[in-house]
């Protein structure tokens, strides 16, 4: 695997839309981790980026390219769960995206088919990188069962796990409810999130509907005592009715210091 990541801006400016060599501007590798109490195997996927370059979160916003993890070719792997570190809020050219700069480690929890057999991991990662231009990249790496963990890799994975958004309990959320209404031509959603103490201030809100054709965009946010109220507009592609399951709706609240991950918003 090519390990240099010297920028080649002159080439990038005239680049075609086909995946580029990741080593031109970034470098990906797999980090060995540990076996968890549940019998899964924790590893890390590290991306190093050129200065000034960034890559993206799972829901990157307009213009971003979310990473795609392909574990085909791995041995004794039944599934993989990505533990997403808190993303940065990034602004460029009038657009807001969510992602990571300089370096990111994605902790990945590997579920073996046979817990008593060795696990050999192959990863083909497709991801986006951006500086003045944004382009798709592709990189591969292998992690054989014989490769032993080391202190540096372990610390990197542990640090990334610690940077994950807070869940509902740890964020001090006591109640969540959603209301769907029709205002004009567009359906509207009102989310009400109550905290035990002061709520997160002026958050950037990300809605993930689980649908490729249905989108929610926050239109206003306000705080009344310990309750955060978020209004959002529902948009969708095509002529069919929007697909929105409030039980699986995922909300992420972000500010400069805090991130909160909420799954499910019961209808009030």
């Amino acid at each position: 695997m090519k390990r240099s990541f010297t920028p080649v801006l002159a080439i990038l400016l005239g680049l075609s839309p086909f995946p580029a060599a990741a080593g031109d501007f970034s470098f990906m590798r797999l980090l060995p981790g540990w076996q968890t109490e549940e019998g899964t195997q924790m590893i890390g996927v590290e991306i190093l980026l050129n200065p000034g370059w960034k890559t993206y979160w799972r829901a990157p916003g307009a213009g971003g390219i979310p990473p795609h993890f392909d574990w085909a070719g791995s041995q004794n792997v039944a599934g993989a769960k990505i533990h997403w570190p808190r993303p940065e809020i990034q602004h460029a050219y009038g657009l807001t995206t969510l992602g990571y700069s300089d370096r990111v480690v994605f902790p990945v929890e590997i579920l073996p088919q046979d817990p008593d057999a060795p696990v050999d991991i192959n990863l083909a990662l497709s991801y986006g990188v951006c500086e003045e231009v944004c382009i798709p990249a592709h990189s591969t790496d292998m992690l054989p069962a014989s490769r032993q963990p080391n202190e540096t890799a372990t610390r990197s994975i542990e640090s990334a796990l610690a940077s994950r958004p807070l869940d509902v309990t740890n964020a001090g959320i006591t109640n969540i409810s959603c209301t769907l209404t029709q205002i004009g031509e567009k359906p509207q959603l009102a989310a009400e999130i109550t905290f035990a103490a002061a709520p997160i201030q002026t958050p950037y809100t990300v809605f993930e509907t689980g649908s490729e054709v249905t989108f929610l965009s926050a239109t206003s946010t306000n705080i009344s005592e310990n309750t955060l109220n978020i209004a959002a507009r529902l948009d969708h592609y095509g002529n069919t009715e929007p697909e929105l399951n409030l039980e699986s709706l995922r909300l992420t609240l972000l500010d400069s210091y805090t991130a909160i991950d909420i799954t499910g918003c019961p209808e009030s």
Side-chain angles (χ1 to χ4, degrees):
M1 179 187 297
K2 184 177 179 182
R3 292 185 178 266
S4 168
F5 45 98
T6 303
V8 191
L9 184 57
I11 296 176
L12 295 178
L13 290 174
L15 203 67
S16 76
F18 296 103
D24 290 340
F25 38 76
S26 67
F27 165 60
M28 184 277 288
R29 65 176 177 177
L30 294 173
L31 304 178
W34 61 88
Q35 187 173 32
T36 70
E37 294 180 356
E38 292 76 22
T40 58
Q41 182 175 333
M42 190 70 73
I43 66 168
V45 177
E46 180 184 47
I47 299 176
L48 297 173
L49 297 153
N50 280 356
W53 286 79
K54 61 185 179 183
T55 190
Y56 295 103
W57 186 53
R58 64 169 188 263
I65 304 171
H68 174 71
F69 300 79
D70 183 356
W71 307 99
S74 299
Q75 301 296 317
N76 193 29
V77 172
K81 178 181 179 181
I82 315 298
H83 293 274
W84 299 88
R86 177 192 180 280
E88 305 164 2
I89 302 173
Q90 302 164 334
H91 304 283
Y93 306 107
L95 298 175
T96 299
T97 56
L98 299 169
Y100 311 93
S101 55
D102 300 325
R103 174 181 182 263
V104 61
V105 173
F106 297 107
V108 182
E109 197 169 350
I110 300 293
L111 175 65
Q113 292 175 330
D114 180 354
D116 297 321
V119 174
D120 292 315
I121 299 169
N122 286 349
L123 172 62
L125 181 67
S126 300
Y127 58 108
V129 291
C130 189
E131 189 200 36
E132 296 298 325
V133 291
C134 298
I135 55 178
H138 185 80
S139 189
T140 61
D141 197 12
M142 297 180 295
L143 186 62
S146 58
R147 186 173 167 193
Q148 296 298 309
N150 58 74
E151 186 177 352
T152 300
T154 298
R155 284 202 307 264
S156 293
I157 299 170
E158 289 175 339
S159 176
L161 286 169
S163 72
R164 290 174 296 174
L166 300 172
D167 60 18
V168 168
T169 300
N170 290 320
I173 292 174
T174 58
N175 188 65
I176 306 167
S177 65
C178 280
T179 304
L180 280 171
T181 58
Q182 186 79 23
I183 302 176
E185 297 181 355
K186 296 289 186 181
Q188 307 287 316
L189 180 139
E192 185 177 278
I193 305 168
T194 303
F195 292 75
I200 183 172
Q201 301 293 308
T202 60
Y204 182 83
T205 306
V206 182
F207 291 94
E208 295 173 76
T209 66
S211 167
E212 295 183 355
V213 298
T214 303
F215 305 91
L216 277 166
S217 303
T219 55
S220 67
T221 302
N222 64 78
I223 296 172
S224 176
E225 296 183 350
N226 288 353
T227 299
L228 178 66
N229 296 285
I230 304 168
R233 182 181 63 249
L234 184 66
D235 292 304
H236 70 288
Y237 294 134
N239 298 320
T240 60
E241 290 297 316
E243 305 169 9
L244 184 61
N245 183 346
L246 292 178
E247 292 183 1
S248 59
L249 179 66
R250 191 170 189 176
L251 294 77
T252 304
L253 308 177
L254 296 160
D255 67 9
S256 299
Y257 306 100
T258 308
I260 302 172
D261 189 2
I262 302 168
T263 298
C265 190
E267 187 167 7
S268 60

